Amino acid sequence: MTQTPGNERAAQAARIAAKPWYRQLYVQVLVAIVIGIVLGWRWPDLATSMEPIGTTFITAMKMLIGPIVFLTIIGGISGVANLKQVGLTGIKALTYFQVGTILAMVTGLVAMNLFRLGDGVHADPATLHTSGDAGDYIAKGESQKWWEFLTHIVPNSFFGPFVEGDILQVIFLAVVFGIALKMVGKAGEPIIASVGRLTEVVFKVLSFVMKAAPFGAFGAMAYAIGKFGLSTLTSLGSLILLFYVTSALFVVIVLGGVLATYVKLNIFQLFRYFKEEYLLILGTSTAEPALPGLMRKLQHMGVERSTVGLVVPTGYSFNLDGAAIYLSLATLYIAQATDTPLSITQQLGLLAVMLLTSKGAAGVAGGGFIALTATLSTVGTVPAAGIMLVFGIDKFMSECRAMVNFSGNAVATLFIAKWENNLDLARARAVLSGKTLDPPPVTEAEDVPQAVPPPATEAGHEAPATRHRSAGSAAAPVPAEVQS
C-alpha cells in the first residue's frame, strides 16, 4: 500500500524517536571528548600523536565553510523581495553586532576592574621574551593599522578567499554576486536555481564529513591535554576561571535577557536545541564546524532562509562576543600585571580602539592575539610584549570564546529575524520545546525555484533530500526533528 506524505513523515519521526541513545551524535562526541581527556592525562606522548586526527577533521570542515557561506548568502539575497530589504537587514545586523560587541567588552572591563587579578604580578616587559608563534602574532599585530580590515575585505582574486579561508572576503564576493544576480532579473534565475541545487550537494558532502565528528573531537582534545597538560590550568587558573564565569554570566544574563524580553524565547531551551553544536565546539576549540548546523536549525525553527543566509555568515566575522570579552579581560590583565595604570577614560579609549582592531583579524590564525597586539600597539600605553603572560593558557580559553561567539550569533539571528518580522515565533517555541514539526513553508519572496538543504536529524545523519520548490509550493517532506 502506498504511503501518503503524512504517513511517511510520521514513520520517519517514529524512527528518530526510537534511535538508540548510543547512536546520537552528541553522545558519541561527548564520549570521545572524555576518552581524549583521559588519554591526554594518562598517556600524554601517545595523546599528542593524535593531533592529525583532530586537525584533519577541522581542515575538512573548513574546506566546506567558504562554499557554504558563499552559496547561502547568494541564496539569502535572492530570497528577499527587493534589494532595499537586503540593505536594511544588513544595517540592522551590523548595528546589533556593534552594540553586542560593546556590551561584551564592557562586561570584561567591569569584571577585571572588580577582581584585579593582575595586581601583584609586577612583570617587567623588558624581560618578556617573545618567540615562535607568539612573536609572529606580535609582529603582525604591531604592523596592522586600525583601518586595514576595511581594505582587506576586497580580495586580490576570485578564488583567493576560498583557498586562504578568508571568510570576510568570501562574504564580500557573495554579497556582490548576490546583488548582481538579483538585479539582472530573469537572466539570473537559472543561476540562482543552480545555486540552490549546489547548496544541497555541499550540505550532502557536509553530512559525510560530520560522521567523523567524534573522531575529530577525540583527536583534538587528546592532543590539547597531552600537549599542554592539566597542570597548565593551575598557573593562571584564576584568570581562566574569571573568563569562564564572566562569559557564562554574559550569555545567560545579557544574551538570555535579550532573547527573553524581545524575542520571547528561553536561552536554556536554545542551549538544549544546539547541544550537538556546543559539544562539537568543545571538542574542536573552534566554532566553524558548527556553522552549518546553526544555519540549518535556525531555518527549521522558523527563521526565514534569507535572514539566516545574510546574518549568520556575517556574524561569524563581525559578531564575536566571546572574543570581545577575552580581548578586554586580557588587555586589562596585562596592564595590571605590568603595573601600567589606566584611568576609566583610558579604558574607554581602549574599548573604542578594540571595536576596530577586533574586526581586523576575523578568521585569521591567531586572530585574537593579532587583535590584542594591534590594540596595545595603537594605544601605546600597555606593552605589546605582555601578551606572553596569557599566551600559554589561550588553548584553555578558546573553547569558551567559540561557544560564546556561537551563542551570540544564534541570538543575533533570532533578534534580527524578529525585528524584520521574519520569525515564526509559534514554530520556534514548539521546536525548542522538543516537538516534531514539518519543515517551514516557503515564503512568497522566494520567487525562483530553489533547493534548500534539509535539516538533519542530527549532524551527520541527514534527512531524505528535498525537492526543488517554486514560490508558493509546499515544503518537501523532511523530518522535523533536528535536535535529536
Side-chain angles (χ1 to χ4, degrees):
M1 183 175 65
T2 303
Q3 283 189 319
T4 64
N7 290 336
E8 289 178 1
R9 287 193 291 271
Q12 180 69 20
R15 287 194 296 271
I16 295 168
K19 182 178 293 185
W21 63 269
Y22 55 84
R23 291 188 58 193
Q24 303 292 340
L25 183 72
Y26 78 94
V27 174
Q28 295 173 355
V29 172
L30 182 60
V31 171
I33 290 173
V34 172
I35 295 174
I37 292 173
V38 173
L39 182 66
W41 171 46
R42 298 294 297 175
W43 299 280
D45 292 337
L46 177 61
T48 53
S49 67
M50 299 294 107
E51 181 186 16
I53 299 175
T55 55
T56 301
F57 171 75
I58 295 174
T59 300
M61 289 298 301
K62 289 183 176 181
M63 168 188 72
L64 297 173
I65 295 300
I68 288 173
V69 168
F70 184 76
L71 294 170
T72 51
I73 288 181
I74 291 178
I77 292 175
S78 65
V80 299
N82 55 71
L83 289 177
K84 181 180 178 181
Q85 189 61 41
V86 175
L88 290 174
T89 301
I91 292 172
K92 289 177 180 179
L94 291 175
T95 301
Y96 176 93
F97 295 162
Q98 285 299 89
V99 173
T101 300
I102 291 172
L103 290 175
M105 288 180 174
V106 168
T107 301
L109 290 176
V110 169
M112 190 55 72
N113 275 295
L114 286 175
F115 293 95
R116 302 194 64 84
L117 299 181
D119 289 349
V121 176
H122 304 303
D124 182 1
T127 64
L128 295 175
H129 179 63
T130 60
S131 61
D133 290 340
D136 293 338
Y137 297 150
I138 290 176
K140 290 179 182 178
E142 289 178 333
S143 63
Q144 178 176 291
K145 304 297 187 298
W146 64 267
W147 44 263
E148 284 187 354
F149 84 95
L150 292 173
T151 58
H152 179 70
I153 290 175
V154 182
N156 293 324
S157 67
F158 178 83
F159 295 103
F162 297 94
V163 175
E164 298 169 6
D166 194 317
I167 300 302
L168 274 175
Q169 294 182 348
V170 171
I171 291 172
F172 174 81
L173 287 174
V175 170
V176 172
F177 272 75
I179 292 174
L181 284 173
K182 190 72 175 177
M183 291 183 69
V184 298
K186 290 186 178 296
E189 289 182 4
I191 300 176
I192 294 173
S194 298
V195 166
R197 296 184 179 97
L198 186 56
T199 302
E200 189 173 340
V201 173
V202 172
F203 271 83
K204 185 63 178 179
V205 175
L206 173 71
S207 72
F208 299 154
V209 176
M210 286 304 299
K211 294 180 186 298
F215 297 100
F218 161 76
M221 184 59 69
Y223 170 76
I225 300 300
K227 174 71 173 179
F228 299 100
L230 293 175
S231 59
T232 308
L233 295 172
T234 61
S235 59
L236 288 173
S238 57
L239 181 59
I240 298 173
L241 179 62
L242 179 62
F243 176 62
Y244 271 77
V245 171
T246 302
S247 298
L249 291 175
F250 175 82
V251 171
V252 173
I253 296 176
V254 178
L255 296 182
V258 168
L259 196 65
T261 57
Y262 184 74
V263 190
K264 310 298 182 185
L265 295 176
N266 188 297
I267 189 74
F268 295 102
Q269 289 182 329
L270 200 70
F271 294 158
R272 183 182 64 185
Y273 183 56
F274 289 112
K275 58 181 178 291
E276 291 95 347
E277 286 70 28
Y278 281 116
L279 285 172
L280 189 59
I281 293 170
L282 178 64
T284 60
S285 299
T286 175
E288 288 181 337
L291 184 148
L294 174 63
M295 299 179 75
R296 280 200 309 267
K297 289 187 174 183
L298 283 171
Q299 188 176 338
H300 185 72
M301 283 178 64
V303 181
E304 284 193 10
R305 178 175 57 85
S306 59
T307 302
V308 173
L310 287 170
V311 177
V312 174
T314 309
Y316 258 62
S317 290
F318 288 98
N319 187 41
L320 307 175
D321 293 334
I325 295 173
Y326 170 78
L327 198 57
S328 57
L329 268 177
T331 300
L332 209 53
Y333 175 83
I334 292 170
Q336 293 170 2
T338 55
D339 298 320
T340 306
L342 292 176
S343 64
I344 297 299
T345 303
Q346 289 174 312
Q347 291 183 35
L348 292 177
L350 273 173
L351 189 149
V353 174
M354 285 188 286
L355 282 174
L356 296 171
T357 55
S358 62
K359 313 300 182 188
V364 178
F369 284 113
I370 294 173
L372 179 58
T373 307
T375 301
L376 301 182
S377 301
T378 301
V379 175
T381 54
V382 183
I387 76 165
M388 295 303 298
L389 297 172
V390 297
F391 186 78
I393 60 169
D394 181 71
K395 175 62 189 72
F396 296 99
M397 303 168 89
S398 58
E399 292 91 346
C400 184
R401 280 200 305 266
M403 285 192 281
V404 175
N405 292 342
F406 179 89
S407 301
N409 283 308
V411 172
T413 307
L414 291 168
F415 183 95
I416 300 300
K418 176 70 180 300
W419 194 356
E420 290 275 282
N421 294 319
N422 287 340
L423 173 65
D424 186 341
L425 188 57
R427 179 183 179 86
R429 288 172 175 166
V431 170
L432 290 184
S433 67
K435 294 181 180 178
T436 58
L437 301 176
D438 290 337
V442 181
T443 62
E444 294 181 1
E446 293 173 302
D447 53 2
V448 295
Q450 302 253 340
V452 178
T457 59
E458 60 178 66
H461 296 275
E462 191 171 341
T466 57
R467 299 181 178 91
H468 300 300
R469 302 176 292 176
S470 57
S473 64
V478 295
E481 176 62 73
V482 299
Q483 64 265 45
S484 65

